[in-house]
Amino acid sequence: MDSTAIDDALASLDAGEIAGMDFSTIVGLTNEPNTPSGAGETVRRILQQVPLHASSRVLDVGCNTGFASIEFAGWATASVVGVDINPTSLAFARGKAGAAALPNVSFTQCSALALPFGDSSFDLVYVNNVTSFIRERARAVGEFYRVLRARGVLAVVPIFYHRQPPASLHREVERAVGADIPVRGKDYWHECFATPVAELFFDEEYEYIYQSAERIDWYADHVMSQPHLSALPAATRAALAERLGYFYRLFNDNLSYARFCILLYRKHPPNPEPILFKTRRLSAAD
Ligand SMILES: C[S@@+](CC[C@H](N)C(=O)[O-])C[C@H]1O[C@@H](n2cnc3c(N)ncnc32)[C@H](O)[C@@H]1O
C-alpha cells in the first residue's frame, strides 16, 4: 500500500471499525513507530559484538516500519536490507529511509519463510520479535541460517515471560496482536535457535521499565500528531487515539511479566582448538 492508499483507507474508516482493529493494522495505518525491544541501544549493542565494514551485508527480518534497518544503516557503512510481509509498513520504512538520506538501506516485501536471497548472502541476520509471529518456526529459523555466510552472526531478540502473567491479560494480548503467544520462558528460545551449524556466543537479558499513564498519553499524542493523521475527521482521530492508548496500556501491563534478550549465534566453522581453563565474566556484584 502506498501513502495515497493509506490515506484512502484512513478516510473510509469509521470509529466502530477502528475499535475492532488489531495492533498490526493500527501500526500500518498510523505509522506507529513500533520500535524494537531496546530500540537503538539493541542495535548498538549488537554492532559492538559484530564488526562490520563497507562490503558487509545486513538483513533485518520482519523490519516493520524500518526502525532497526535505518539504525544499522546509520551506524555502519554496511548495506542493509529490511524485509517484511506487510507492504504498508514497508511504504513507511522507505519514506523514513528517504528522509534520512541513507543510500545503504533498502526494503523488500517477502516472507521470512522464503527469503529471496541466495545461500550465504549476509554477514549479519537480525530478527527482533518476529519468530513468535510465525507458525512454521523451524522453517523460518532454517531460512535465517541458510542466508547467513560462514562466520556470520544471527542476532535474535526474543521477548519471553520471566513470570506467569494473569490468564485474562495474556488472552487480551493474544487478541490484540492477532496471534497465539504461548507463555514461554527464555529456554524455549534457546531451543528454537539452537542448531548444529552455529554456536551461541552472547546472551544478554533486559527488563522493561513500567511507564506512567501520562507518558503513554504523551506518546499516543505524539503518534497522532503526524501530518497524515492530523487532517482526519475528529471522530476518526479520537477512535485511533483511543485504540492506540488501549494497546499501549495493555502492553505496558504485559511487559511487566516479560523480559527480552539479545542472543548472538555465530555460524560455523568454529575454532577447533579445545579450551581447558574456561572463564566467566564477573559482574560488579562479584
Ligand atoms: C512485532 S513486529 C516486530 C517488528 C520489528 N522487528 C521490531 O522489533 O520492532 C513483527 C513484524 O514481523 C512481520 N512478520 C510477521 N510474519 C512475517 C513473515 N512470515 N515474514 C516476514 N515478516 C513477518 C510483521 O509484519 C511485523 O512487521
Side-chain angles (χ1 to χ4, degrees):
M1 222 193 283
D2 61 19
S3 56
T4 317
I6 294 166
D7 289 344
D8 290 348
L10 280 166
S12 64
L13 286 178
D14 66 45
E17 258 179 286
I18 293 168
M21 280 180 173
D22 68 16
F23 185 60
S24 299
T25 311
I26 293 282
V27 165
L29 290 171
T30 58
N31 186 26
E32 199 279 346
N34 195 226
T35 44
S37 293
E41 194 187 331
T42 295
V43 168
R44 290 190 294 279
R45 193 75 184 114
I46 292 169
L47 287 174
Q48 284 167 0
Q49 308 300 320
V50 185
L52 296 175
H53 44 80
S55 60
S56 302
R57 295 189 73 209
V58 178
L59 178 66
D60 178 6
V61 182
C63 65
N64 203 271
T65 57
F67 181 94
S69 301
I70 291 168
E71 280 287 312
F72 276 117
W75 282 95
T77 51
S79 47
V80 181
V81 185
V83 298
D84 204 288
I85 40 168
N86 186 333
T88 316
S89 300
L90 290 177
F92 282 115
R94 289 191 185 98
K96 288 200 293 192
L102 288 168
N104 54 333
V105 60
S106 62
F107 296 95
T108 300
Q109 189 192 341
C110 67
S111 169
L113 295 172
L115 294 169
F117 307 104
D119 297 356
S120 310
S121 305
F122 292 93
D123 301 274
L124 172 64
V125 174
Y126 166 81
V127 190
N128 191 330
N129 189 23
V130 177
T131 320
S132 56
F133 294 90
I134 299 176
R135 277 183 201 279
E136 290 177 78
R137 218 152 278 164
R139 190 170 147 203
V141 173
E143 278 293 88
F144 305 157
Y145 283 120
R146 179 185 67 77
V147 299
L148 191 63
R149 71 161 177 79
R151 300 186 181 83
V153 172
L154 172 66
V156 289
V157 187
I159 298 175
F160 60 93
Y161 285 102
H162 75 107
R163 59 193 182 109
Q164 185 76 25
S168 56
L169 172 68
H170 181 246
R171 267 195 306 275
E172 215 174 325
V173 170
E174 288 192 318
R175 260 201 310 276
V177 299
D180 297 340
I181 305 181
V183 178
R184 289 179 168 132
K186 188 170 158 188
D187 288 353
Y188 171 81
W189 293 112
H190 278 155
E191 282 168 30
C192 184
F193 296 106
T195 167
V197 305
E199 177 188 358
L200 176 67
F201 70 93
F202 183 89
D203 177 346
E204 226 169 52
E205 200 167 310
Y206 296 80
E207 65 181 358
Y208 296 90
I209 300 168
Y210 197 76
Q211 301 301 311
S212 67
E214 292 73 27
R215 202 171 138 74
I216 287 178
D217 289 345
W218 161 80
Y219 190 75
D221 285 349
H222 164 74
V223 174
M224 291 305 299
S225 68
Q226 295 173 94
H228 79 292
L229 299 174
S230 21
L232 290 171
T236 310
R237 277 179 55 76
L240 282 171
E242 169 57 33
R243 195 70 183 146
L244 275 174
Y246 161 75
F247 286 130
Y248 294 148
R249 287 187 293 277
L250 181 65
F251 296 156
N252 197 31
D253 289 344
N254 184 52
L255 289 175
S256 67
Y257 297 88
R259 289 185 177 162
F260 75 92
C261 54
I262 301 176
L263 305 178
L264 302 181
Y265 294 85
R266 184 176 188 254
K267 196 168 174 179
H268 287 169
N271 186 335
E273 303 291 332
I275 307 286
L276 173 59
F277 294 110
K278 294 204 165 203
T279 55
R280 77 185 164 88
R281 189 173 169 185
L282 296 176
S283 68
D286 298 308

